[in-house]
Amino acid sequence: MALVSVEDARSFVLSSCRRLEPVRTSIVEAVGHVLAEAVRSSEPVPPFTNSSMDGYAVRSRDVKDVPARLRVTGVLPAGVDPGRLVVGEGEAARIMTGAVVPPGADAVCMVEHTRGEEGFVTIDEAVGPGTNIRNAGDDIAAGDEVFAVGALLSAAHIGVLASLGLEEVLVFPRPRVGVVSTGDELTNGPGQLALGKIRDSNRPALLAQVKLDGFVPVDLGHAPDEPDALAKTLQEAAQECDALLTSGGVSVGERDFVRTVLEKLGGQHARWLQVAVRPGKPFAFSTFPPSGTPVFGLPGNPVSALVSYELFARPSLRLMAGHENLDRPRLAARAEVDLLRQPDGRLHLVRVHANASTDGTLHVRPSGGQSSHQLHALASANALAFVPDGEGVVAGEIVEVMVLDAGTL
Ligand code: AMP
Ligand code: MG
């Protein structure tokens, strides 16, 4: 069977996935979601011209020559309407940060540069027009398009929405992602392992990755290597989930039934691919009619399952969640040691630890054993190095890396 490039396999799965139907949600709940409607401001922010300092609101002409002694005609705390207060010639108003700048005043002198006395203030620093004043609308003007469809909502976005008086916003929902492991050899939890049995690590790892990526993990348990049982689990789960992940059972073993089940439930939508990548070669995919729920048949080996998720499931789930940027950051790095390999027609993804040197360049070295069952080296990695087909990369050469955890660079 011909190998399919990572790019072609990725394009195929992406073309089979759709954005989820937007939902209206409270603004705090919306953080991390992608905006599904443009947001316009109906009012300026700040809503009125106000002081950025504690001090005295003055007419700048009156303080051209300092020291200048002015009569204090009022006190303006934040939150108070200045009413009829006007700052006239030779006058000043005590003003706090965020208070309305009264008519007549065109500057604020910082309190640190003044000397107060009963009913008067002496200003020791000349200020030009506009000094220490924040104009109405200088953050956001009324009528502006504040955020476009596709904006990824950060905490600052939520603050802006709140400052505009919005309580709810239309966003793409987080996909609910069902995760099922397949394999008669799998057990869970503590206790003596019978010979031949292993503990299921893919399901907890995939549930955790789904959660980290901002989707909603749904634990579907573990299915035996028996096509009817797996078909029943997947069929039911497709009703309540937006996407499904299976692991194991996509190779050419006698008891690899995931492909058969996807063909049975997905009909002509089912594909079984041999991807030109290592780890992560076998991969099955289908959508289930009538809902179109995508099902990702990830390989069973623990590293392959997570790498295949990274390459195919994660970008698809991000697309469903409305993201415009589907991929992890890709950066150029310098290999600290040889990353040698044999030509085999496949891209090799090497688990590496990357760290940024003081001059800003990234350096990478393998994080441990590179076989597809050696999950420990993936736990120690913060990036995958893309070593193209050929003889590999020698120490000192540049290699492209996909950053898995930017927080540890
Ligand atoms: P398979 O493709 O089902 O033959 O699985 C390939 C390898 O991955 C076998 O050694 C399996 O035992 C192992 N494997 C499959 N599923 C899991 C799992 N959920 N957790 C840990 N290892 C697994
Ligand atoms: Mg299996």
Side-chain angles (χ1 to χ4, degrees):
M1 192 176 180
L3 295 182
V4 177
S5 71
V6 170
E7 293 72 30
D8 287 351
R10 180 181 178 280
S11 303
F12 168 67
V13 294
L14 287 177
S15 70
S16 305
C17 296
R18 302 278 168 270
R19 283 178 163 183
L20 299 178
E21 202 53 44
V23 291
R24 201 158 281 286
T25 180
S26 74
I27 58 170
V28 174
E29 285 300 313
V31 74
H33 285 251
V34 176
L35 199 57
E37 65 182 351
V39 172
R40 283 190 173 280
S41 63
S42 55
E43 59 189 40
V45 180
F48 51 86
T49 297
N50 67 95
S51 176
S52 65
M53 292 289 168
D54 293 321
Y56 288 85
V58 298
R59 297 151 65 102
S60 56
R61 265 174 311 184
D62 289 350
V63 297
K64 267 217 301 255
D65 299 315
V66 286
R69 192 160 179 270
L70 305 174
R71 199 154 59 82
V72 178
T73 56
V75 180
L76 293 167
V80 166
D81 183 338
R84 290 170 201 271
L85 181 72
V86 174
V87 174
E89 202 175 327
E91 293 178 347
R94 181 81 171 97
I95 193 166
M96 297 346 133
T97 305
V100 179
V101 174
D106 67 348
V108 171
C109 299
M110 287 168 69
V111 72
E112 291 87 337
H113 302 141
T114 66
R115 284 167 285 150
E117 58 188 288
E118 194 52 43
F120 287 88
V121 64
T122 302
I123 308 289
D124 289 324
E125 187 185 52
V127 288
T131 304
N132 298 325
I133 285 186
R134 310 188 281 213
N135 288 317
D138 75 1
D139 189 9
I140 298 165
D144 273 1
E145 181 176 294
V146 181
F147 302 130
V149 172
L152 173 58
L153 297 176
S154 67
H157 287 83
I158 304 309
V160 169
L161 296 173
S163 71
L164 293 169
L166 296 174
E167 290 181 320
E168 293 191 328
V169 71
L170 194 69
V171 296
F172 294 103
R174 304 176 187 278
R176 292 171 55 79
V177 185
V179 180
V180 60
S181 291
T182 71
D184 289 338
E185 73 278 33
L186 302 178
T187 68
N188 293 295
Q192 185 76 35
L193 282 174
L195 186 60
K197 300 287 183 190
I198 57 165
R199 295 193 183 86
D200 178 1
S201 63
N202 288 349
R203 186 160 46 97
L206 288 166
L207 288 166
Q209 190 63 57
V210 161
K211 182 172 181 215
L212 268 185
D213 288 339
F215 315 127
V216 182
V218 179
D219 189 347
L220 301 176
H222 137 236
D225 286 322
E226 200 275 294
D228 290 344
L230 180 61
K232 186 163 178 289
T233 302
L234 293 183
Q235 215 162 14
E236 284 171 9
Q239 311 296 316
E240 63 152 325
C241 295
D242 300 307
L244 301 176
L245 307 177
T246 70
S247 70
V250 290
S251 295
V252 289
E254 270 177 22
R255 300 189 64 79
D256 286 339
F257 292 123
V258 169
R259 174 189 169 194
T260 325
V261 170
L262 294 200
E263 280 167 359
K264 181 179 160 209
L265 297 180
Q268 91 253 18
H269 301 287
R271 292 285 160 85
W272 185 55
L273 304 175
Q274 300 295 300
V275 186
V277 68
R278 180 194 168 124
K281 183 166 93 161
F283 172 62
F285 178 81
S286 190
T287 53
F288 285 175
S291 57
T293 308
V295 186
F296 298 84
L298 307 174
N301 273 305
V303 179
S304 313
L306 284 171
V307 166
S308 189
Y309 169 89
E310 280 295 329
L311 296 177
F312 308 122
R314 188 177 183 274
S316 305
L317 295 168
R318 284 178 66 82
L319 183 152
M320 295 172 79
H323 288 276
E324 290 177 356
N325 177 7
L326 302 181
D327 295 308
R328 303 260 194 200
R330 296 264 193 103
L331 298 173
R334 198 170 292 284
E336 278 183 353
V337 296
D338 293 346
L339 304 175
L340 300 182
R341 50 162 293 174
Q342 300 293 317
D344 61 1
R346 292 156 75 182
L347 168 71
H348 287 199
L349 300 179
V350 180
R351 279 150 269 168
V352 291
H353 192 269
N355 65 289
S357 61
T358 44
D359 66 1
T361 42
L362 274 187
H363 292 255
V364 294
R365 56 169 56 239
S367 59
Q370 297 292 326
S371 290
S372 56
H373 65 288
Q374 290 174 308
L375 189 55
H376 191 261
L378 185 54
S380 316
N382 58 4
L384 294 174
F386 283 53
V387 181
D389 194 21
E391 306 288 342
V393 172
V394 298
E397 283 185 340
I398 295 294
V399 63
E400 189 186 8
V401 298
M402 180 169 90
V403 178
L404 300 174
D405 183 1
T408 58
L409 289 182

